[in-house]
Amino acid sequence: MLLTPLPQQPEVTFHWLRVGHCKGPEAMARQGGRLRLIEFPSYVGALHHPDHGWTLFDTGYSQHFFDTTRRFPELVYRNLLPVTLPEAEHLPHQLAALDVEPGDVRRVVVSHFHGDHVGGLLDYPHARFIAGAAGAEQALSLRGVNAVRHAIVPALLPDDLRDRLDPVEEFPELAVGGLRTWDLLGDRSLLAVDLPGHMPGHLGLLFTSGGRQVMLVGDAAWTTRSFREVRPPSRLAKGIMHDWSSTVRTLGALHDLDAAHDDLLVLPAHCPEGAAAWAAGTGRA
């Protein structure tokens, strides 16, 4: 698969922010991993466009997550994957350090609606939400034990989510190499990417920042090793995958993209190695 270059793609400013972490077995993330517990950080993308302002890619954890998982059945989610959120990692605090107030966030691209990706949606009351229509519909329709079984915490979703939702399928569609993408701002600077398998409507985000092309892939891969070695999650995680065969195909597509493009940095949402590569400016994890 070849990633077609985007001529004259406007650059955006990009910050990759760690917003809490949970602990789980390494083996959950990829086949062949050990059973030891490791940290799975939740990273959030904060992107600034000179004309279109601030966009978030997911929101990570927040105090809302702890408040809404105190009782059964949501408590099961919290106990299975214990969460830590240091004060300094709260997303509003990190954005304030960038001189960004909650009202400055114009849109949140939701990769999918698992609790660790939408824990802070309630903190941005004026933002529009861009998501796959199928994923949003699933999240809004599930309740109780059935929601928790899909790692959905309904109380984390704003009451007016339907009114503020911009389904990604309503944006102009572009073919970029073998990828299905949508042009979110009309200038190709932010391209939502169809990365099916993990959850319905699962999205990534492709953009250029600092002279490098970056693809945020949410949970299409949990670690850099997952797509480099084409190792899908273990059977421990198979039960929460929406479509296992699509999950494996998407992982293979990410492997091909990474192998073909030295200047492309693929960033999974829970991978500290990828975050270190971005911070170091190497372009490679």
Side-chain angles (χ1 to χ4, degrees):
M1 178 185 295
L2 295 178
L3 186 63
T4 303
L6 298 177
Q8 299 180 341
Q9 182 183 19
E11 290 210 7
V12 297
T13 302
F14 170 60
H15 305 272
W16 196 222
L17 307 174
R18 175 173 167 142
V19 186
H21 69 270
C22 71
K23 284 191 174 182
E26 182 184 34
M28 182 175 67
R30 70 180 187 281
Q31 293 176 6
R34 292 178 287 180
L35 290 176
R36 62 169 185 153
L37 293 180
I38 63 171
E39 291 185 359
F40 289 94
S42 283
Y43 288 99
V44 170
L47 305 103
H48 184 261
H49 186 285
D51 298 321
H52 297 280
W54 286 94
T55 298
L56 296 180
F57 182 81
D58 291 336
T59 61
Y61 294 107
S62 73
Q63 183 58 45
H64 303 296
F65 178 85
F66 297 100
D67 294 342
T68 58
T69 56
R70 289 176 177 171
R71 297 180 178 84
F72 181 84
E74 290 81 8
L75 183 61
V76 175
Y77 183 170
R78 181 170 169 176
N79 287 341
L80 282 175
L81 297 168
V83 173
T84 300
L85 180 59
E87 188 70 20
E89 292 186 10
H90 281 254
L91 184 56
H93 295 175
Q94 297 192 69
L95 293 178
L98 300 172
D99 294 324
V100 182
E101 299 297 324
D104 296 333
V105 176
R106 298 189 186 181
R107 64 198 66 80
V108 179
V109 179
V110 180
S111 67
H112 63 296
F113 285 88
H114 280 169
D116 55 327
H117 293 260
V118 298
L121 290 186
L122 295 170
D123 290 326
Y124 305 98
H126 306 299
R128 303 292 298 179
F129 302 126
I130 299 172
E137 189 57 40
Q138 182 197 53
L140 287 166
S141 66
L142 296 176
R143 292 291 182 271
V145 173
N146 197 31
V148 172
R149 187 172 69 85
H150 289 86
I152 302 293
V153 182
L156 293 175
L157 306 181
D159 292 337
D160 60 352
L161 190 149
R162 285 190 188 277
D163 295 333
R164 295 161 61 193
L165 178 67
D166 293 322
V168 73
E169 294 84 358
E170 295 182 0
F171 289 85
E173 185 172 335
L174 297 172
V176 179
L179 299 172
R180 182 188 186 195
T181 77
W182 295 272
D183 186 359
L184 300 185
L185 300 181
D187 63 358
R188 300 189 176 191
S189 60
L190 296 184
L191 295 180
V193 183
D194 185 28
L195 297 175
H198 181 68
M199 288 293 285
H202 187 281
L203 298 177
L205 190 67
L206 178 67
F207 57 91
T208 298
S209 184
R212 288 179 288 169
Q213 198 164 41
V214 180
M215 185 185 292
L216 310 182
V217 299
D219 283 1
W222 281 338
T223 67
T224 297
R225 287 186 64 184
S226 297
F227 64 81
R228 288 272 168 83
E229 301 173 7
V230 196
R231 291 193 183 186
S234 73
R235 295 183 182 274
L236 292 172
K238 190 172 182 178
I240 67 169
M241 298 295 174
H242 169 63
D243 184 325
W244 182 254
S245 60
S246 292
T247 297
V248 175
R249 284 196 299 270
T250 294
L251 196 65
L254 293 178
H255 171 84
D256 292 344
L257 286 168
D258 176 71
H261 299 277
D262 289 339
D263 57 343
L264 174 66
L265 178 60
V266 177
L267 292 179
H270 303 294
C271 183
E273 290 80 12
W278 168 255
T282 62
R284 300 291 287 176

Short mmCIF file of all heavy atoms in Angstrom, two decimals, residues 122-152:
data_model
loop_
_atom_site.label_atom_id
_atom_site.label_comp_id
_atom_site.label_asym_id
_atom_site.label_seq_id
_atom_site.Cartn_x
_atom_site.Cartn_y
_atom_site.Cartn_z
N LEU A 122 -17.12 15.81 28.54
CA LEU A 122 -17.97 16.73 29.29
C LEU A 122 -17.26 18.05 29.60
O LEU A 122 -17.92 19.04 29.96
CB LEU A 122 -18.43 16.08 30.59
CG LEU A 122 -19.35 14.86 30.43
CD1 LEU A 122 -19.53 14.16 31.77
CD2 LEU A 122 -20.70 15.27 29.86
N ASP A 123 -15.95 18.09 29.46
CA ASP A 123 -15.19 19.30 29.79
C ASP A 123 -15.18 20.32 28.65
O ASP A 123 -14.64 21.43 28.83
CB ASP A 123 -13.74 18.93 30.14
CG ASP A 123 -13.63 18.20 31.47
OD1 ASP A 123 -14.44 18.50 32.37
OD2 ASP A 123 -12.74 17.33 31.59
N TYR A 124 -15.77 19.99 27.50
CA TYR A 124 -15.69 20.87 26.34
C TYR A 124 -17.10 21.13 25.80
O TYR A 124 -17.51 20.59 24.77
CB TYR A 124 -14.76 20.26 25.27
CG TYR A 124 -13.42 19.98 25.91
CD1 TYR A 124 -13.10 18.70 26.36
CD2 TYR A 124 -12.53 21.02 26.16
CE1 TYR A 124 -11.90 18.48 27.03
CE2 TYR A 124 -11.34 20.79 26.83
CZ TYR A 124 -11.04 19.53 27.27
OH TYR A 124 -9.87 19.31 27.96
N PRO A 125 -17.85 21.99 26.50
CA PRO A 125 -19.28 22.14 26.23
C PRO A 125 -19.62 22.81 24.90
O PRO A 125 -20.77 22.76 24.48
CB PRO A 125 -19.76 23.00 27.40
CG PRO A 125 -18.54 23.77 27.84
CD PRO A 125 -17.39 22.82 27.64
N HIS A 126 -18.64 23.44 24.26
CA HIS A 126 -18.92 24.14 23.00
C HIS A 126 -18.35 23.41 21.78
O HIS A 126 -18.53 23.89 20.65
CB HIS A 126 -18.38 25.56 23.05
CG HIS A 126 -18.88 26.34 24.23
ND1 HIS A 126 -20.21 26.61 24.44
CD2 HIS A 126 -18.20 26.89 25.29
CE1 HIS A 126 -20.35 27.31 25.55
NE2 HIS A 126 -19.16 27.48 26.08
N ALA A 127 -17.67 22.29 22.00
CA ALA A 127 -17.02 21.60 20.89
C ALA A 127 -18.02 20.77 20.10
O ALA A 127 -19.00 20.25 20.63
CB ALA A 127 -15.91 20.69 21.43
N ARG A 128 -17.76 20.66 18.81
CA ARG A 128 -18.46 19.70 17.96
C ARG A 128 -17.72 18.36 18.07
O ARG A 128 -16.51 18.32 18.31
CB ARG A 128 -18.48 20.16 16.51
CG ARG A 128 -19.10 21.51 16.26
CD ARG A 128 -20.59 21.53 16.52
NE ARG A 128 -21.30 20.60 15.63
CZ ARG A 128 -22.63 20.42 15.67
NH1 ARG A 128 -23.36 21.08 16.57
NH2 ARG A 128 -23.22 19.59 14.83
N PHE A 129 -18.45 17.27 17.90
CA PHE A 129 -17.87 15.94 17.98
C PHE A 129 -17.92 15.28 16.61
O PHE A 129 -18.99 15.15 16.02
CB PHE A 129 -18.63 15.08 19.00
CG PHE A 129 -18.65 15.67 20.38
CD1 PHE A 129 -19.86 15.87 21.04
CD2 PHE A 129 -17.49 16.04 21.02
CE1 PHE A 129 -19.90 16.41 22.31
CE2 PHE A 129 -17.51 16.60 22.28
CZ PHE A 129 -18.71 16.79 22.93
N ILE A 130 -16.73 14.90 16.11
CA ILE A 130 -16.63 14.21 14.83
C ILE A 130 -16.35 12.74 15.12
O ILE A 130 -15.38 12.41 15.81
CB ILE A 130 -15.51 14.81 13.97
CG1 ILE A 130 -15.79 16.29 13.68
CG2 ILE A 130 -15.35 14.02 12.67
CD1 ILE A 130 -14.64 17.01 13.00
N ALA A 131 -17.21 11.87 14.64
CA ALA A 131 -17.07 10.44 14.92
C ALA A 131 -17.74 9.65 13.82
O ALA A 131 -18.55 10.17 13.04
CB ALA A 131 -17.72 10.10 16.26
N GLY A 132 -17.39 8.37 13.74
CA GLY A 132 -18.10 7.49 12.84
C GLY A 132 -19.53 7.32 13.30
O GLY A 132 -19.80 7.15 14.49
N ALA A 133 -20.47 7.38 12.37
CA ALA A 133 -21.89 7.32 12.72
C ALA A 133 -22.23 6.03 13.45
O ALA A 133 -22.99 6.04 14.44
CB ALA A 133 -22.74 7.46 11.47
N ALA A 134 -21.68 4.91 13.01
CA ALA A 134 -22.01 3.63 13.64
C ALA A 134 -21.50 3.57 15.07
O ALA A 134 -22.17 3.03 15.95
CB ALA A 134 -21.42 2.48 12.82
N GLY A 135 -20.32 4.13 15.31
CA GLY A 135 -19.77 4.13 16.66
C GLY A 135 -20.58 4.98 17.60
O GLY A 135 -20.85 4.60 18.75
N ALA A 136 -20.99 6.16 17.13
CA ALA A 136 -21.80 7.05 17.97
C ALA A 136 -23.15 6.41 18.28
O ALA A 136 -23.63 6.46 19.42
CB ALA A 136 -21.99 8.39 17.27
N GLU A 137 -23.75 5.78 17.29
CA GLU A 137 -25.06 5.15 17.50
C GLU A 137 -24.96 4.01 18.50
O GLU A 137 -25.83 3.83 19.37
CB GLU A 137 -25.62 4.65 16.17
CG GLU A 137 -27.06 4.18 16.25
CD GLU A 137 -28.01 5.24 16.78
OE1 GLU A 137 -27.85 6.43 16.41
OE2 GLU A 137 -28.90 4.89 17.59
N GLN A 138 -23.90 3.21 18.40
CA GLN A 138 -23.73 2.13 19.36
C GLN A 138 -23.57 2.67 20.77
O GLN A 138 -24.21 2.20 21.71
CB GLN A 138 -22.50 1.29 19.01
CG GLN A 138 -22.30 0.11 19.96
CD GLN A 138 -20.91 -0.48 19.89
OE1 GLN A 138 -19.92 0.24 20.03
NE2 GLN A 138 -20.82 -1.79 19.67
N ALA A 139 -22.72 3.68 20.93
CA ALA A 139 -22.47 4.24 22.26
C ALA A 139 -23.74 4.81 22.86
O ALA A 139 -23.97 4.68 24.07
CB ALA A 139 -21.38 5.30 22.18
N LEU A 140 -24.56 5.44 22.05
CA LEU A 140 -25.79 6.07 22.56
C LEU A 140 -26.88 5.05 22.85
O LEU A 140 -27.83 5.36 23.59
CB LEU A 140 -26.29 7.09 21.54
CG LEU A 140 -25.46 8.38 21.46
CD1 LEU A 140 -25.82 9.16 20.20
CD2 LEU A 140 -25.66 9.24 22.69
N SER A 141 -26.77 3.87 22.30
CA SER A 141 -27.84 2.88 22.45
C SER A 141 -27.61 1.91 23.59
O SER A 141 -28.56 1.24 24.03
CB SER A 141 -28.00 2.09 21.15
OG SER A 141 -26.86 1.30 20.88
N LEU A 142 -26.38 1.79 24.09
CA LEU A 142 -26.06 0.78 25.11
C LEU A 142 -26.28 1.32 26.51
O LEU A 142 -26.03 2.49 26.79
CB LEU A 142 -24.61 0.32 24.96
CG LEU A 142 -24.28 -0.40 23.65
CD1 LEU A 142 -22.80 -0.72 23.60
CD2 LEU A 142 -25.10 -1.67 23.51
N ARG A 143 -26.69 0.43 27.41
CA ARG A 143 -26.91 0.79 28.80
C ARG A 143 -26.47 -0.36 29.71
O ARG A 143 -26.42 -1.52 29.30
CB ARG A 143 -28.40 1.08 29.07
CG ARG A 143 -28.93 2.34 28.39
CD ARG A 143 -28.33 3.59 29.01
NE ARG A 143 -28.86 4.81 28.42
CZ ARG A 143 -28.36 5.42 27.35
NH1 ARG A 143 -27.31 4.87 26.74
NH2 ARG A 143 -28.89 6.52 26.88
N GLY A 144 -26.19 -0.02 30.96
CA GLY A 144 -25.96 -1.01 32.00
C GLY A 144 -24.84 -1.98 31.70
O GLY A 144 -23.79 -1.62 31.17
N VAL A 145 -25.08 -3.25 32.04
CA VAL A 145 -24.05 -4.28 31.88
C VAL A 145 -23.63 -4.41 30.43
O VAL A 145 -22.45 -4.62 30.12
CB VAL A 145 -24.56 -5.63 32.43
CG1 VAL A 145 -23.56 -6.74 32.12
CG2 VAL A 145 -24.79 -5.54 33.94
N ASN A 146 -24.58 -4.28 29.52
CA ASN A 146 -24.25 -4.41 28.10
C ASN A 146 -23.30 -3.32 27.65
O ASN A 146 -22.41 -3.55 26.82
CB ASN A 146 -25.53 -4.38 27.26
CG ASN A 146 -25.31 -4.92 25.86
OD1 ASN A 146 -24.47 -5.79 25.64
ND2 ASN A 146 -26.05 -4.39 24.90
N ALA A 147 -23.45 -2.11 28.18
CA ALA A 147 -22.52 -1.03 27.85
C ALA A 147 -21.13 -1.34 28.39
O ALA A 147 -20.13 -1.21 27.66
CB ALA A 147 -23.03 0.29 28.42
N VAL A 148 -21.06 -1.76 29.64
CA VAL A 148 -19.75 -2.06 30.25
C VAL A 148 -19.07 -3.19 29.50
O VAL A 148 -17.84 -3.18 29.33
CB VAL A 148 -19.93 -2.40 31.74
CG1 VAL A 148 -18.62 -2.89 32.34
CG2 VAL A 148 -20.42 -1.16 32.49
N ARG A 149 -19.83 -4.15 29.05
CA ARG A 149 -19.26 -5.27 28.30
C ARG A 149 -18.55 -4.78 27.04
O ARG A 149 -17.60 -5.39 26.56
CB ARG A 149 -20.37 -6.26 27.92
CG ARG A 149 -19.87 -7.54 27.28
CD ARG A 149 -21.00 -8.54 27.13
NE ARG A 149 -21.96 -8.10 26.14
CZ ARG A 149 -21.84 -8.32 24.83
NH1 ARG A 149 -20.76 -8.93 24.35
NH2 ARG A 149 -22.78 -7.91 23.99
N HIS A 150 -19.00 -3.64 26.50
CA HIS A 150 -18.36 -3.04 25.33
C HIS A 150 -17.43 -1.88 25.72
O HIS A 150 -17.01 -1.11 24.85
CB HIS A 150 -19.43 -2.52 24.36
CG HIS A 150 -20.18 -3.60 23.66
ND1 HIS A 150 -21.29 -4.20 24.21
CD2 HIS A 150 -19.97 -4.21 22.46
CE1 HIS A 150 -21.75 -5.12 23.36
NE2 HIS A 150 -20.97 -5.15 22.30
N ALA A 151 -17.09 -1.77 27.02
CA ALA A 151 -16.20 -0.71 27.52
C ALA A 151 -16.76 0.68 27.29
O ALA A 151 -16.02 1.65 27.11
CB ALA A 151 -14.80 -0.84 26.92
N ILE A 152 -18.09 0.80 27.30
CA ILE A 152 -18.77 2.07 27.15
C ILE A 152 -19.31 2.51 28.51
O ILE A 152 -19.88 1.71 29.25
CB ILE A 152 -19.96 1.97 26.16
CG1 ILE A 152 -19.47 1.49 24.78
CG2 ILE A 152 -20.70 3.29 26.05
CD1 ILE A 152 -18.58 2.45 24.05
#
